[in-house]
Amino acid sequence: MERLKVLKTYKVYIGGKFPRTESGRYYSPKNAKGEVLGNICFCSRKDIRNSVVAARKAFGGWSERAANNRGQILYRIAEMLEGRKAQFIEELILQGSTKVQAEKEVVLSIDRLIYYAGWCDKYTQVLGSVNPVASSHFNFSMHVPTGVVGILADQKTSLIGLISLIAPVIAGGNTCVVLASEKLPLCAITFSEVLNSSDLPGGVLNVLTGSCSEMMKPLTTHMDVNAMIYSGSDKSIVKELKESSALNLKRILHYDLDWMKADSQDLYKLSDFQEVKTTWHPIENIGGASSSY
Amino acid sequence: MSTQKDRLSLIIPNFKESPCVDKVGVEERVARFQTRSIKAEAKAQGLRMALNMIDLTTLEGKDTPRKVKQMCYKAQHLHSVCPGLPNVAAVCVYPSMVGVAKKAVGDSGVKVASVSTAFPSGQAPLSVKIMDTKFAVAEGADEIDMVISRGKFLSGEYNFVFDEIAAIKDACGKTRLKVILETGELVTLDNVRRASDIAMYGGADFIKTSTGKIQPAATMQVTYTMLQAIRDFKLKTGIQIGMKPAGGISNSKLALHNLVMVKETLGEDWLTNEWFRFGASSLANDVLMQIMKAETGVYQSTNYFSKD
C-alpha cells in the first residue's frame, strides 16, 4: 500500500512562536511546472501589528546583548543552516532552481551569515571615532542600532536575498519584521525553524508570508517601525515606501543588487542601520605635543 | 443613590449562606464575552467610554508630589494632539498625596480617590484605619478605597469584616466608599461572592477587585462573580452598587470585553463612570493608541504618548 504523504504546514514566525496567520487565509503559489509549493499563510495587517509588538519587545534585550554573544548566535544560525543544507537545496529545487544553483545559494547563505557574525564585535571599533574638538572635551562617536526594521525581502530569490538583508540588520543589534518573497516563500519559513533552534531570542526576527502589496502599507506607516529596507527594482514600491515612511521619518534603504555576487556583502550594509551617537565628555585640559609643559 | 440610612434598614443575611458559585459555568460564560464581534463604530465609542472610566493610579512608596502632579496633569490632558477626548474619571493616590492631587486637578471634574485603611495589607487596628480614612476625607478626597481584612475573612470572622466596613463607611460620611476585596488572596470564587455580599451590606458604594499589589488581580471570572453579586443585591434591595476591576487590565481589548460583560450582566445603567471604573495605570495609553489608530488608520508607537 502506498504510504500517505506527510505534507508540511508552513506557518509564520512571530515572537519566537509559529502561529498561523491571524486572518485564517492562505494561498498556494506554484512553480514554473505548475506544481503547488504548499499552502502558505496569507498574512494580514494584524499579523504585522503583532510582529512589530514582538520586535519592539525584543529590541531592548537584543540591542544591549554583548556584541560577541550576538556574533556567537549568528554563527550558531549558520551552523544550524549547515546541518539542514539538504532540506534547503530540496526546497530551492522545488521552487525552480537547478541543483547546482541551489547548492551554490545555500552555501553562500551560510558563508554570508558567518561574514556578518564576524563583524558583530568589530564594527563599532571600525566605524566609531574619536573626534578632535576645540575645547577640553573628550569627544567620541559610536554606532547604536536604529530599532525595529521592516524588511521587504528580495522577490527574485528565496534564501540568499533574505539572509543578505537580515544578517546585517540583526548583527547590528536591530530587530526586524520580514515579508518573505511572495512567490518563493518556502525557505523563509524553513529558515525560521533554523532560527528557532539557534539561541536567537524570540521576536528579534519575525517572518511573515503573503502579499507584499497588501502588507506594505500597514508596515511602512507603522509609527513604531524605525527603518525600512526594500530589495528590488519596482519604482512604484520605492515611491510608496518613501511617502509612507515620511510619517515618522523612517530611515529607508533601497538595494537593487544581485545577492549571489560576492561583493553584495560589506560593512556598509551593517552601518546602514546604525545611528551615530556622539558624546562630549568634559576632561582636564590635556596639553598636546606643542604645549609648554 | 442609596444613603447609609437605607442600608441600615436592611435585614442582614447570614453570610455563611451566600450563594455558591459555579466555577465551570462562570468560565464558560466569561469565554463568551470575549467572542463578541465589536464593529468599528461601537469600538470607537467603547474606547472613549473606557477612557472616561479609568482611575489613573499611582500607589508606590516612591511617589513624590511631583509624580502625583504629573499624573494629575495627564488625567486632564490625555493626548492633546487629539482634541475632544474625555478626561479620565479619577486619580487614585495614597492619603498623604490627596492634598497635592486635589489642588492639581482643580475644578476639571476629575475626582480624587484615596486608598486608606492601611492599604494594601489592611493589617492595622481599626482605630488607625479610621484615622487614616478621616485624614484622607479631610484632605478633600472624593472617594475612599478601603481594603478588607482578608486574614479575618479567611478565618471565618465575617462579622468582624462587616463591622469594620460599616465603621469606615461612618468615617467617610458622604464620601463614596469603594471596598477592595483583594480577590487574589480570597482563593475561591465562593469567597469572592461572600466578600462581595459582606461589603455591599456593610456600606460599600463600589466593590473593587484588587489592590494591584497581588497577582492574579482583576480576572474576568472574578469580575463576573462580583457583577452577579451586584445584580442580586440590586434585585433584592433596589440599591445600585458600582464595580471597579483593578489591576491586570492593561489593554483595550480586555477593557472592551469588560464593558461587554457589564452591559450583558447588569445593563446600561452601569455604563457610566459613576458606576463602573477601571483601576489601571497603563490602560490609558493603550486605549489612546487604539483611538489614534482608528483616527489616523496608522499603527501607533508608545514613543508619541506621554508617560504616566
Side-chain angles (χ1 to χ4, degrees):
Chain A
M1 205 171 75
E2 199 191 343
R3 185 168 171 259
L4 279 177
K5 272 191 190 169
V6 181
L7 295 173
K8 179 172 168 182
T9 310
Y10 288 92
K11 300 204 234 173
V12 291
Y13 188 51
I14 301 174
K17 294 202 165 64
F18 291 94
R20 289 187 169 82
T21 165
E22 187 274 346
S23 67
R25 304 176 302 177
Y26 69 94
Y27 71 114
S28 311
K30 290 179 180 145
N31 64 12
K33 288 185 214 152
E35 295 164 325
V36 173
L37 299 179
N39 289 335
I40 310 294
C41 288
F42 194 77
C43 291
S44 68
R45 63 184 173 83
K46 293 200 176 167
D47 296 306
I48 296 266
R49 176 195 65 188
N50 296 346
S51 305
V52 174
V53 169
R56 173 58 64 195
K57 207 171 152 198
F59 177 68
W62 183 243
S63 61
E64 283 160 22
R65 198 172 269 257
N68 81 314
N69 187 224
R70 280 209 304 270
Q72 284 169 331
I73 291 173
L74 253 77
Y75 195 89
R76 177 87 180 152
I77 299 174
E79 282 175 5
M80 291 291 113
L81 195 52
E82 178 79 25
R84 291 174 69 164
K85 256 199 245 161
Q87 187 183 4
F88 282 91
I89 291 171
E90 206 175 285
E91 282 181 355
L92 285 171
I93 292 172
L94 179 63
Q95 291 176 110
S97 295
T98 65
K99 188 153 191 280
V100 177
Q101 277 174 338
E103 278 171 4
K104 194 179 162 206
E105 185 171 340
V106 174
V107 169
L108 188 60
S109 300
I110 296 167
D111 293 351
R112 191 146 292 168
L113 279 165
I114 291 174
Y115 172 81
Y116 285 111
W119 270 122
C120 282
D121 57 357
K122 301 173 190 72
Y123 71 91
T124 41
Q125 299 93 304
V126 175
L127 296 170
S129 58
V130 175
N131 315 312
V133 286
S135 60
S136 29
H137 289 90
F138 177 53
N139 182 289
F140 57 99
S141 300
M142 59 186 288
H143 285 61
V144 291
T146 301
V148 175
V149 181
I151 301 177
L152 307 175
D154 190 38
Q155 290 291 323
K156 295 192 292 278
T157 57
S158 187
L159 184 63
I160 185 70
L162 180 83
I163 297 215
S164 305
L165 293 173
I166 60 163
V169 166
I170 61 174
N174 300 286
T175 57
C176 57
V177 177
V178 187
L179 297 188
S181 169
E182 190 172 339
K183 296 207 174 74
L184 310 169
L186 299 192
C187 291
I189 317 277
T190 308
F191 182 62
S192 314
E193 292 159 18
V194 169
L195 296 173
N196 204 39
S197 54
S198 52
D199 306 330
L200 189 79
V204 171
L205 185 45
N206 304 278
V207 182
L208 302 178
T209 50
S211 151
C212 178
S213 57
E214 183 188 323
M215 283 190 291
M216 201 174 127
K217 184 100 200 212
L219 183 60
T220 51
T221 55
H222 201 307
M223 298 293 278
D224 215 16
V225 172
N226 305 108
M228 286 293 307
I229 318 180
Y230 168 61
S231 168
S233 51
D234 189 333
K235 290 231 168 64
S236 67
I237 289 188
V238 177
K239 181 166 176 281
E240 197 189 325
L241 197 59
K242 285 185 177 166
E243 281 171 2
S244 3
S245 295
L247 256 181
N248 64 337
L249 304 177
K250 283 182 194 68
R251 189 173 284 289
I252 336 169
L253 267 297
H254 168 217
Y255 305 121
D256 192 3
L257 294 171
D258 179 0
W259 297 109
M260 288 298 284
K261 284 197 175 153
D263 63 358
S264 61
Q265 63 184 25
D266 54 42
L267 174 60
Y268 299 105
K269 300 282 175 305
L270 206 158
S271 66
D272 278 346
F273 297 97
Q274 298 290 310
E275 307 300 325
V276 180
K277 181 166 97 180
T278 295
T279 306
W280 295 71
H281 187 72
I283 49 166
E284 260 183 73
N285 215 342
I286 300 174
S290 62
S291 82
S292 49
Y293 267 111
Chain B
M1 208 199 295
S2 76
T3 61
Q4 186 63 358
K5 229 177 198 172
D6 298 339
R7 210 75 70 92
L8 288 175
S9 64
L10 293 177
I11 299 160
I12 308 298
N14 180 356
F15 294 115
K16 285 191 176 137
E17 285 162 17
S18 270
C20 290
V21 180
D22 170 6
K23 189 158 174 279
V24 176
V26 167
E27 270 161 16
E28 282 187 13
R29 181 88 177 105
V30 160
R32 294 278 186 88
F33 295 129
Q34 298 173 13
T35 59
R36 300 283 185 268
S37 159
I38 302 170
K39 301 299 175 205
E41 204 178 310
K43 188 177 168 190
Q45 220 182 344
L47 288 172
R48 283 182 149 74
M49 183 184 271
L51 201 57
N52 190 229
M53 288 172 167
I54 291 173
D55 283 5
L56 272 188
T57 303
T58 182
L59 295 170
E60 284 170 21
K62 65 180 184 201
D63 285 348
T64 59
R66 275 276 163 200
K67 165 96 200 280
V68 171
K69 271 186 204 163
Q70 192 181 327
M71 189 179 73
C72 293
Y73 186 85
K74 168 141 186 161
Q76 301 162 70
H77 307 84
L78 281 166
H79 194 53
S80 304
V81 181
C82 182
L85 285 175
N87 286 341
V88 296
V91 290
C92 185
V93 295
Y94 270 117
S96 58
M97 291 296 166
V98 169
V100 176
K102 192 73 197 162
K103 205 171 148 203
V105 297
D107 55 3
S108 63
V110 175
K111 297 200 161 67
V112 176
S114 168
V115 296
S116 83
T117 67
F119 180 94
S121 71
Q123 297 282 21
L126 182 60
S127 56
V128 173
K129 291 182 179 180
I130 289 175
M131 242 165 70
D132 197 16
T133 308
K134 282 192 169 153
F135 173 78
V137 172
E139 287 285 292
D142 302 298
E143 298 165 357
I144 294 292
D145 291 26
M146 71 167 285
V147 290
I148 65 166
S149 300
R150 282 87 75 192
K152 294 284 186 191
F153 178 88
L154 290 171
S155 45
E157 296 184 47
Y158 304 138
N159 289 343
F160 180 95
V161 177
F162 180 90
D163 291 344
E164 205 172 57
I165 295 168
I168 299 296
K169 178 66 191 174
D170 275 346
C172 285
K174 284 187 179 146
T175 309
R176 287 183 97 191
L177 176 67
K178 306 196 196 103
V179 176
I180 304 172
L181 309 182
E182 192 61 306
T183 53
E185 292 183 339
L186 295 186
V187 192
T188 64
L189 290 181
D190 284 351
N191 280 344
V192 171
R193 171 66 197 230
R194 185 173 297 127
S196 305
D197 287 345
I198 295 173
M200 288 186 296
Y201 279 99
D205 297 300
F206 255 87
I207 49 178
K208 173 175 167 183
T209 58
S210 327
T211 58
K213 307 285 181 200
I214 300 279
Q215 290 303 327
T219 62
M220 284 187 77
Q221 286 84 341
V222 156
T223 307
Y224 181 64
T225 304
M226 292 168 70
L227 290 174
Q228 280 184 319
I230 291 173
R231 183 189 57 199
D232 293 348
F233 188 73
K234 165 86 183 186
L235 289 173
K236 207 171 216 173
T237 66
I239 299 172
Q240 185 167 1
I241 304 287
M243 172 71 201
K244 177 176 172 183
I249 302 172
S250 55
N251 65 53
S252 312
K253 206 175 199 173
L254 213 47
L256 289 173
H257 288 158
N258 269 278
L259 290 180
V260 168
M261 182 158 70
V262 172
K263 156 111 184 179
E264 293 187 18
T265 313
L266 295 176
E268 293 198 11
D269 289 351
W270 269 264
L271 287 181
T272 73
N273 66 15
E274 173 104 27
W275 298 108
F276 191 75
R277 297 280 179 83
F278 290 108
S281 46
S282 54
L283 176 63
N285 268 4
D286 194 69
V287 174
L288 287 171
M289 279 167 70
Q290 294 299 322
I291 290 175
M292 287 311 283
K293 159 72 177 64
E295 298 257 318
T296 59
V298 166
Y299 285 123
Q300 300 294 309
S301 160
T302 47
N303 287 347
Y304 303 93
F305 294 84
S306 65
K307 291 187 176 143
D308 294 326

